Amino acid sequence: PTFNKLFWSVVRTPKNKQDPAAIEALTSKLHSLFTILELRLEGRDYVMGDRITMADVTTGMALFRYFEMPIERPKLPAVETWYGRLKEREAYQKSVMVSFEELRGRLDF
């Protein structure tokens, strides 16, 4: 829920309607969650170990948009390395790394 709220606040909401305090709070909360992921990934190629699982698929789906959002991000070397590994996968490229430009500043569908 935190990621979705942040995405809507930063990307979907027009700039003139954005709430900087809410964005800051959501960003902070999301970074605390990604810090947990960072600790989980230390010493592992994937969330559960040495091969990709559903844990990587479900968690990895948010990473493309996370890294494309205009927000400040803390250094999370294990998450960044894992994201790089996911980006090399053809299925990830085709299914996740898709443009969301048409969503910018649009609160409607």
Side-chain angles (χ1 to χ4, degrees):
T2 301
F3 175 80
N4 288 336
K5 287 179 185 176
L6 181 61
F7 183 79
W8 274 80
S9 296
V10 172
V11 176
R12 298 294 305 260
T13 303
K15 289 264 188 215
N16 64 339
K17 293 184 178 181
Q18 292 181 359
D19 179 349
I23 291 172
E24 184 177 337
L26 289 166
T27 301
S28 178
K29 174 67 175 167
L30 186 63
H31 291 159
S32 70
L33 297 171
F34 272 109
T35 299
I36 295 168
L37 180 60
E38 174 74 13
L39 295 172
R40 176 67 187 171
L41 286 166
E42 286 179 356
R44 293 181 171 91
D45 287 341
Y46 296 99
V47 174
M48 298 305 293
D50 63 352
R51 62 185 182 165
I52 194 165
T53 67
M54 285 302 294
D56 301 281
V57 172
T58 57
T59 306
M61 290 185 338
L63 286 180
F64 174 69
R65 288 184 176 186
Y66 172 73
F67 280 106
E68 294 297 314
M69 279 194 287
I71 59 171
E72 290 190 35
R73 284 174 288 283
K75 293 290 183 196
L76 299 169
V79 171
E80 292 169 19
T81 300
W82 174 59
Y83 177 53
R85 202 171 287 114
L86 293 176
K87 288 191 318 183
E88 293 173 359
R89 302 179 69 84
E90 184 178 353
Y92 191 82
Q93 294 167 10
K94 289 181 178 180
S95 301
V96 177
M97 297 176 69
V98 295
S99 174
F100 54 89
E101 285 304 310
E102 73 276 3
L103 300 177
R104 290 192 189 273
R106 283 189 63 192
L107 293 171
D108 63 345
F109 290 97

